[in-house]
Amino acid sequence: MTDLPHYPLYIAGEFTAGAKAQVMDSINPATGDVWATFDCAAAADIDRTVAAAQAALDAPEWRDMTATARGKLLYRLADLIAENADELGRIETTDSGKLAAETTAQTGYVADYYRYYAGLADKVEGAVLPIDKPDMHVFTQRLPIGVVAAVVPWNAQMFLAATKLAPALAAGCCVILKASEIAPAPMIAFARLLDKVGFPKGVVSVVTGDAENCAIPLTRHPGVDRIAFTGGPDTARHVVRNSAENFAVTTLELGGKSPILVFDDADLDAAANGLIAGNFGASGQSCVAGTRGLVHRPIFDQLVAAITEKAQGLVVGDPHDPATHLGPLCTRAQVEVIEKTLATAKAQGAQIALGGARASAGAHYMQPTLVLCNSPEVETLKVEMFGPVMSLLPFDTEEEAIALANDSDFGLGSGVFTQNVARAHRVSRRIRSGITWVNTYRAISPIAPFGGFNQSGYGREAGAEAILDYTRTKTTWINTSEAPMSNPFVMR
């Protein structure tokens, strides 16, 4: 046990143990064995971390640093991420079970998020207002919102950290990054890079731990000004309640049951690939997984055949092996939820056309599974399973397809496959989701906003406007008249 890698907390520029000396094990999903240990934060650690962030906000090293200089630090961080993408990807794959091919590529691309906001750092502008009063010079400034609690889950840590950390630091905030207690090692390894960049102590800290000792004290802390949360709806409700204690500005990026609509004029090969990407990519462990495939009835059987043929060649196995397409699920609980949901779906009359059982590679592995649904009420169309389960349901008309797509409590991603440009515009506009991909799926960019409707949360990450979410507008009035201020009892 002593030979295992150990990951400490990173607080105020120092790597440290938690105040309660609480240590947890991290499980390698591919083997089911403990592969590393990590320290957990306690409430006293959160107090210390927030105090350090507040002090950094007021210290001249960060407070008076020019926006251009902040941008240069982010460029330096981006370079370090790109240089260490292979190592960060290896750690994330070992810790979470995600494919090394994906974690390494995604980490390398994440560097562009930091470069994007590095470039935006000195582009945040105020305005001189054409005020309706004489002898007044009035202008606005965008100032850092303050201390940010950035809460990220385990399933896309480098990406989801970047969408919060990059704009917050570019805006001049201080950030406490709270990693999931499930597979937090990549975030602590990332902290080693943050430590090399040259940020003043306290500007960025990285902590992890359970809800009682870490997440709750952080999200309700009176010194936190903004919460950027990605996770599940149930946890988000607790976060919102906690934010009532500090009135922190809160944005939520939550789960989804994203629809993918395939019309009878679609390129079937592209549509099959899109559905596979949206369901079996990342072993289905994606918040935008397109788990509700809605297929025009005339091509339903053809599409099922195309997906089945392609799925026959998918390799389930070691996530470090470049030949593997689907690795293990991060937790056994996910496997159990899938098995329970599939059992209910079969009882409802759904047909398991492919897979439907655990894979032979290990306890955390599921076969890629295809469910043919006879009703929109089938359980697999309702439950976010976070695994490689694709559900297909036929539709007859465009109006029916749109209605089925919108028949969900969620509204994060969606897809439309059609060669009809007018239909693509018409349908994508009417789907109630924050993102619609047309004739593709699961594409991301730092330039494009990301977020959802309904129970998929509120607020947007990425895109130029996201940096403004980490600022407050300050208005300054300057009386330019030589005359003294007049009657103090009359509002000017």
Side-chain angles (χ1 to χ4, degrees):
M1 185 66 71
T2 56
D3 294 333
L4 296 177
H6 180 74
Y7 293 87
L9 306 171
Y10 180 65
I11 298 175
E14 296 180 355
F15 291 95
T16 179
K20 285 188 174 181
Q22 181 187 4
V23 175
M24 292 179 67
D25 295 334
S26 196
I27 306 296
N28 180 344
T31 65
D33 298 328
V34 176
W35 83 277
T37 59
F38 59 92
D39 285 296
C40 296
D45 299 306
I46 298 304
D47 287 338
R48 181 160 61 98
T49 306
V50 174
Q54 291 176 312
L57 276 175
D58 293 331
E61 292 83 0
W62 186 244
R63 180 196 65 205
D64 297 339
M65 183 182 291
T66 66
T68 302
R70 290 199 303 268
K72 289 179 179 179
L73 289 177
L74 287 173
Y75 279 123
R76 169 64 175 149
L77 178 57
D79 290 344
L80 286 172
I81 291 170
E83 291 166 12
N84 290 273
D86 288 347
E87 176 64 8
L88 288 170
R90 182 193 66 79
I91 293 170
E92 185 171 359
T93 292
T94 303
D95 211 26
S96 70
K98 293 189 69 176
L99 295 186
E102 178 165 353
T103 57
T104 299
Q106 189 175 78
T107 299
Y109 184 56
V110 154
D112 283 352
Y113 280 76
Y114 292 95
R115 294 188 180 104
Y116 179 77
Y117 286 103
L120 281 178
D122 56 7
K123 311 300 187 297
V124 177
E125 299 177 345
V128 176
L129 305 182
I131 208 70
D132 59 346
K133 306 208 181 315
D135 301 323
M136 286 289 181
H137 177 64
V138 184
F139 61 92
T140 61
Q141 297 167 283
R142 290 277 190 169
L143 303 180
I145 200 168
V147 176
V148 176
V151 184
V152 298
W154 57 263
N155 65 306
Q157 298 177 63
M158 292 299 296
F159 164 61
L160 294 170
T163 59
K164 300 165 180 58
L165 194 61
L169 293 175
C173 298
C174 292
V175 183
I176 301 166
L177 185 62
K178 196 280 177 184
S180 170
E181 65 274 24
I182 300 172
M187 289 291 92
I188 305 299
F190 174 53
R192 297 169 186 162
L193 303 186
L194 291 165
D195 192 61
K196 293 180 180 180
V197 171
F199 292 105
K201 292 184 183 299
V203 169
V204 189
S205 294
V206 182
V207 299
T208 189
D210 58 29
E212 180 181 357
N213 291 295
C214 183
I216 294 173
L218 176 61
T219 53
R220 69 184 299 164
H221 199 286
V224 168
D225 301 290
R226 192 188 189 295
I227 301 168
F229 174 85
T230 299
D234 290 339
T235 305
R237 291 183 179 93
H238 292 292
V239 170
V240 171
R241 293 185 191 104
N242 293 340
S243 71
E245 300 297 322
N246 54 18
F247 297 111
V249 176
T250 302
T251 52
L252 306 173
E253 195 267 285
L254 309 179
K257 282 295 292 182
S258 299
I260 297 179
L261 287 63
V262 182
F263 289 91
D264 59 2
D265 63 342
D267 182 304
L268 284 184
D269 190 61
N273 285 336
L275 282 159
I276 288 172
N279 286 271
F280 301 154
S283 301
Q285 299 173 113
S286 170
C287 55
V288 295
T291 52
R292 294 189 296 137
L294 308 175
V295 184
H296 218 156
R297 196 178 298 275
I299 60 166
F300 189 86
D301 291 341
Q302 291 173 265
L303 188 59
V304 169
I307 292 168
T308 302
E309 181 180 357
K310 289 175 179 290
Q312 300 299 331
L314 298 180
V315 177
V316 180
D318 181 358
H320 288 282
D321 186 340
T324 297
H325 298 109
L326 286 88
L329 302 188
C330 188
T331 68
R332 290 194 185 187
Q334 293 165 252
V335 177
E336 293 165 359
V337 167
I338 291 171
E339 290 176 329
K340 179 181 177 181
T341 306
L342 289 175
T344 301
K346 286 191 286 187
Q348 293 172 316
Q351 176 189 349
I352 309 299
L354 180 73
R358 299 191 187 199
S360 59
H364 286 240
Y365 288 82
M366 279 295 300
Q367 298 173 348
T369 299
L370 176 61
V371 183
L372 307 184
C373 301
N374 57 336
S375 161
E377 300 306 314
V378 169
E379 193 78 350
T380 56
L381 293 168
K382 300 294 185 182
V383 176
E384 185 182 26
M385 288 170 280
F386 239 56
V389 179
M390 181 192 308
S391 298
L392 300 183
L393 178 71
F395 67 82
D396 292 300
T397 67
E398 182 178 304
E399 284 297 318
E400 182 189 7
I402 294 169
L404 289 169
N406 290 334
D407 183 22
S408 175
D409 293 332
F410 298 99
L412 184 54
S414 61
V416 177
F417 282 84
T418 179
Q419 296 300 306
N420 185 322
V421 175
R423 171 182 275 162
H425 281 278
R426 189 168 63 241
V427 173
S428 63
R429 179 180 175 83
R430 290 184 58 191
I431 296 175
R432 291 195 293 271
S433 66
I435 311 157
T436 298
W437 290 283
V438 177
N439 295 329
T440 188
Y441 206 78
R442 268 188 94 213
I444 58 170
S445 168
I447 303 167
F450 185 98
F453 296 174
N454 305 328
Q455 290 192 26
S456 289
Y458 47 78
R460 292 293 180 269
E461 295 184 323
E465 292 183 6
I467 193 172
L468 302 181
D469 291 340
Y470 291 91
T471 67
R472 296 189 198 274
T473 300
K474 178 182 178 65
T475 304
T476 301
W477 294 68
I478 299 177
N479 184 357
T480 59
S481 173
E482 293 183 349
M485 184 175 173
S486 56
N487 189 339
F489 298 102
V490 177
M491 182 177 289
R492 295 201 61 185

